[in-house]
Amino acid sequence: MKHNTLHNAFILPHTLTGHAPDQAILVGFSGGADSLCLLHQLCVCRTLYGTRVYAAHVNHGIRGKEADRDEAFCRQTADALGVPLFVHHADVPAYASLHGLSIETAAREVRYAFFDACMKQHGIPQLAVAHTANDNLETVLFHLARGSGLSGVCGIPRTRDTAYGTLVRPMLGMSRADVLAYCEANGLSFVTDSTNVDTEYTRNRLRAAVIPELEAICPGVIEATTRLCDTLREDELCLSGMAEWFLEDMNQNNSLPLEPLCGSPYAVVSRALMQLYATVSGGETLSYVHVKQLLSLAHQGKPHARLSLPHGIAACIEGGRLHLCRTEELTATPDIPPYRLPLTEGRNDISPIHAQIIIERTQSQENIYKKEMNFSLDPATIVGELFVRQRQAGDEIRLRGHRRSLKKLISEAELPLALRPRLPVICDEAGIVAVPLVGVRDGAWAKKGTDALHVQIVL
């Protein structure tokens, strides 16, 4: 085997990860042409730069003797190349059944969990996998068929973070033809996975039926797709950066103001919403459909309107802003015990709602009687004791000549949901006298220049 050449489309891993050229790297090694080509070129890097190379192989427990053959081949090849090999045996069908996954998804989860474990145990900060330009085209076609957004059409990223380092794909610029030519030129034999021709798998159908037709129509389609993805990825980075700036300027406690949210370009606000959702949900992805629903909610701007999102996340309109939070936070109400406390002049501490009501006898300067935290009452209109209590079912107050439901008035006032249970209800023996931010009973407010009880609410 030759150890002194690199394909011109191979990208040195350390130029992508930022690590030193001699830093350790783990190779996902199946024994197929792609992973063998990758392992061999990394051994060239070992010769040129002192790169410490390790390999990891997973026997998925799917293909019986063929899988055992692949494992034996990987052991022999790694030994011939002088590369330490870590091997893991798994029962992927059982794992898939237990977790309700497809075999493909289960195999991927098991494989990358093993790679993470190897990186953690041996302190290896880089993981290299053998995705090629053909794999990238398959991914782009798959995402196009699903109606993916720009991030999906960008194809396979060259790098991504893992639990214990960085995953890198040095061969994304190499086509499968390049890989086979490299193997032939370097005398590399490899094994073939028989499931690669099983067209029950989506990628195999694309590989067998769709891509050959595209190559017949446009012989340079694989290379053209690679160039397209590189360009689109730069566009995606730009738009994502603008979304981050939008969030930095507008986000307050996981909420965004409606006016700029509805008036800014969709390409920016959609990404801002996805980033905000990922923050609130702990890294989950928001789909195109749910982004549209969120923006529709924002454009309608109806106070207290709500929207349920996946993974226990909810959205609501409050105070001219779109709020995202966990559903239990939105539905939770403060545990306020029933209370009835007398009100006297001076400061009254209302501990059940963590509030103060300050009453001062003075002359009324203004007619303040509606939707205020401060108001002046005519003491002559108070019947018996003045006291404060919590809201109760069926509460009514007389406003503008009619008895009005307190529940309906609070809703019409568009008060934040979290504030409503904490509103103190000021009463006398005849009923409700005043509720801050809602109103004062007909005839109870003091006229300008008359004796008054000035009431200040501090919530």
Side-chain angles (χ1 to χ4, degrees):
M1 295 182 180
K2 300 178 182 179
H3 294 268
N4 57 358
T5 60
L6 292 171
H7 191 277
N8 59 12
F10 180 87
I11 300 179
L12 296 170
H14 66 268
T15 65
L16 294 171
T17 64
H19 289 291
D22 62 350
Q23 186 60 270
I25 190 166
L26 179 70
V27 183
F29 186 37
S30 68
D34 295 345
S35 65
L36 179 58
C37 178
L38 173 61
L39 181 62
H40 187 271
Q41 291 187 91
L42 287 174
C43 286
V44 175
C45 293
R46 180 180 61 188
T47 301
L48 296 175
Y49 306 106
T51 307
R52 288 172 287 144
V53 183
Y54 300 83
H57 175 79
V58 177
N59 186 326
H60 296 94
I62 298 174
R63 295 176 290 118
K65 291 183 178 180
E66 184 180 292
D68 295 336
R69 176 209 66 183
D70 293 353
E71 179 186 330
F73 173 83
C74 288
R75 290 183 183 276
Q76 294 166 4
T77 302
D79 185 60
L81 291 171
V83 174
L85 177 69
F86 312 120
V87 176
H88 176 61
H89 287 255
D91 187 346
V92 167
Y95 181 90
S97 177
L98 178 64
H99 296 279
L101 302 172
S102 68
I103 291 293
E104 286 179 292
T105 301
R108 185 183 187 281
E109 287 192 3
V110 167
R111 190 162 57 248
Y112 280 95
F114 178 57
F115 295 160
D116 282 344
C118 291
M119 295 173 75
K120 179 182 180 182
Q121 181 178 353
H122 301 282
I124 303 172
Q126 302 174 104
L127 169 66
V129 292
H131 291 121
T132 66
N134 288 63
D135 297 315
N136 185 59
L137 175 55
E138 293 165 12
T139 298
V140 170
L141 292 173
F142 183 70
H143 286 153
L144 279 173
R146 296 180 62 189
S148 174
L150 180 57
S151 60
V153 183
C154 285
I156 303 174
R158 295 188 184 275
T159 65
R160 69 170 175 84
D161 293 335
T162 71
Y164 302 101
T166 305
L167 181 147
V168 62
R169 300 177 173 94
M171 299 202 317
L172 268 182
M174 296 178 63
S175 67
R176 190 151 290 124
D178 292 332
V179 169
L180 295 176
Y182 183 92
C183 289
E184 182 178 359
N186 287 273
L188 304 177
S189 60
F190 50 85
V191 294
T192 302
D193 185 341
S194 61
T195 63
N196 286 344
V197 297
D198 185 352
T199 54
E200 289 296 316
Y201 296 106
T202 302
R203 283 188 175 273
N204 291 349
R205 294 180 69 182
L206 289 170
R207 188 177 304 147
V210 178
I211 292 179
E213 288 296 322
L214 284 175
E215 289 182 300
I217 297 169
C218 180
V221 65
I222 294 174
E223 294 77 10
T225 302
T226 299
R227 294 194 302 271
L228 172 67
C229 289
D230 287 342
T231 301
L232 293 180
R233 198 168 292 115
E234 292 299 321
D235 293 346
E236 174 64 23
L237 285 172
C238 177
L239 291 170
S240 295
M242 293 175 69
E244 289 179 8
W245 296 335
F246 183 90
L247 285 176
E248 288 176 5
D249 289 342
M250 302 295 174
N251 183 21
Q252 293 180 7
N253 299 319
N254 298 327
S255 73
L256 299 172
L258 296 181
E259 186 173 349
L261 186 62
C262 296
S264 300
Y266 173 81
V268 174
V269 296
S270 62
R271 285 167 174 78
L273 288 172
M274 287 189 280
Q275 291 178 22
L276 183 60
Y277 177 82
T279 299
V280 175
S281 66
E284 299 294 344
T285 301
L286 189 65
S287 71
Y288 169 84
V289 171
H290 291 116
V291 169
K292 285 289 189 181
Q293 290 176 345
L294 275 176
L295 287 174
S296 176
L297 185 73
H299 279 281
Q300 292 172 17
K302 185 178 179 180
H304 321 309
R306 301 185 185 187
L307 173 66
S308 294
L309 298 168
H311 305 290
I313 305 301
C316 69
I317 304 296
E318 292 290 346
R321 302 181 71 88
L322 175 69
H323 297 255
L324 264 62
C325 63
R326 295 207 165 269
T327 302
E328 60 267 21
E329 296 175 19
L330 188 62
T331 57
T333 57
D335 186 15
I336 298 174
Y339 66 93
R340 172 176 168 149
L341 299 171
L343 293 176
T344 58
E345 291 184 35
R347 189 180 75 178
N348 299 266
D349 291 318
I350 316 301
S351 57
I353 56 173
H354 306 287
Q356 291 180 352
I357 299 179
I358 302 169
I359 299 179
E360 179 183 9
R361 190 173 289 272
T362 182
Q363 276 203 337
S364 178
Q365 300 299 313
E366 301 178 297
N367 294 335
I368 302 176
Y369 63 94
K370 181 182 178 183
K371 295 186 178 179
E372 297 290 344
M373 296 295 282
N374 301 328
F375 44 86
S376 294
L377 301 177
D378 181 351
T381 66
I382 303 301
V383 180
E385 179 190 38
L386 195 64
F387 63 93
V388 63
R389 61 168 172 80
Q390 80 284 358
R391 285 175 54 197
Q392 296 176 354
D395 272 346
E396 292 182 337
I397 184 172
R398 188 170 185 83
L399 291 179
R400 298 180 292 281
H402 301 280
R403 297 194 65 82
R404 302 287 306 281
S405 162
L406 185 55
K407 179 179 180 180
K408 186 174 182 180
L409 288 169
I410 289 174
S411 178
E412 291 174 354
E414 300 181 0
L415 303 181
L417 295 176
L419 175 63
R420 298 181 187 190
R422 297 185 59 225
L423 285 177
V425 179
I426 298 174
C427 305
D428 64 7
E429 301 303 332
I432 297 176
V433 176
V435 179
L437 302 174
V438 176
V440 175
R441 183 174 69 195
D442 286 352
W445 52 273
K447 296 179 180 179
K448 185 175 180 179
T450 63
D451 289 340
L453 294 175
H454 182 71
V455 181
Q456 179 182 0
I457 312 293
V458 181
L459 289 176

